[in-house]
Amino acid sequence: SFVLGTNGTLQVKGVKNGFIDSQTVSNNFNLTVANPVISPAGAITNNTLNVTLTSLTAGARLYWTIDGTVPSPTEGILYTNTFVLRTNGTLQVKGFKNGFVDSQTISNNFNLAVADPVISPAGATTNNTVNVTLTSLTAGARLYWTIDGTVPAPTNGFLYTSSFVLGTNGTLQVK
C-alpha cells in the first residue's frame, strides 16, 4: 500500500514475464483540504478573545484575515497557534496543502465593543463634594468624561485616570 498525496488520475497496469499485460485501470482522486473550524465560532464581547483554528486535513496550512480580503498564502496570516483577536470584523480562514484542492473560505463575525461605563456613585444630591469612580468591563478601555453638557470624546473632556472629586453641579457623562 502507499499514501496518495495529490489529486489526479491513478492508472494501474499489471505485468508479469510470459503473461499478456492487464488492461489499464484508472480512477480519479480529488483530495480537498477539509474546511477549517474557527473556535469560538464568532462572538459579541466586551474584550479581546483567544481564537483557535483547526483542520481535519493533516499538514494543512491555514491562513486567516480580518480585513475583508480572502485569505491565501500571499494575502493572510499563517496560523501557527492560538491568537488573541483584538479587533472587530469578519474573520476568514482558508486551508491549503500542496497537491490538494484548497478548502472553502470559512468566516465568522466578531463584534468587540467597549462595555458601557459605570459611574459610582450613580448620581448624588448632597451639600458636599463627591468622590467619583469610573469603571468599564472592557480591559484597557480609555474613559472620557464631561460635566458641561458636551459629549465626551478623546478630543473633548477629561481622560479618566483615577477617582476624582466632583465639586460642581451637572450631568456627568462618560464615554
Side-chain angles (χ1 to χ4, degrees):
S1 78
F2 63 94
V3 175
L4 184 63
T6 190
N7 285 308
T9 302
L10 179 64
Q11 297 185 46
V12 180
K13 177 179 236 155
V15 296
K16 183 175 180 176
N17 284 340
F19 282 63
I20 297 172
D21 294 349
S22 74
Q23 294 293 317
T24 300
V25 176
S26 63
N27 281 309
N28 290 324
F29 288 85
N30 295 310
L31 308 175
T32 301
V33 176
N35 288 338
V37 175
I38 302 170
S39 181
I44 297 173
T45 183
N46 299 123
N47 284 294
T48 60
L49 287 169
N50 289 330
V51 175
T52 302
L53 307 176
T54 56
S55 173
L56 293 177
T57 302
R61 294 175 329 278
L62 304 178
Y63 288 86
W64 65 272
T65 62
I66 194 146
D67 63 0
T69 59
V70 176
S72 71
T74 58
E75 293 285 335
I77 299 168
L78 175 63
Y79 176 78
T80 57
N81 207 343
T82 297
F83 61 92
V84 178
L85 188 63
R86 302 177 190 277
T87 189
N88 282 313
T90 300
L91 180 67
Q92 297 186 86
V93 184
K94 190 167 187 170
F96 301 86
K97 184 173 181 175
N98 289 338
F100 281 56
V101 173
D102 303 341
S103 76
Q104 293 178 8
T105 300
I106 302 302
S107 62
N108 287 116
N109 292 322
F110 288 85
N111 296 310
L112 284 62
V114 175
D116 290 341
V118 176
I119 302 170
S120 181
T125 301
T126 181
N127 53 7
N128 288 303
T129 60
V130 177
N131 190 39
V132 176
T133 302
L134 307 177
T135 57
S136 174
L137 293 176
T138 303
R142 292 185 314 271
L143 303 176
Y144 293 88
W145 64 273
T146 62
I147 190 83
D148 62 2
T150 61
V151 177
T155 57
N156 183 54
F158 300 95
L159 173 63
Y160 177 77
T161 56
S162 64
S163 62
F164 59 92
V165 175
L166 189 59
T168 187
N169 288 316
T171 299
L172 182 63
Q173 294 186 72
V174 182
K175 186 172 187 173

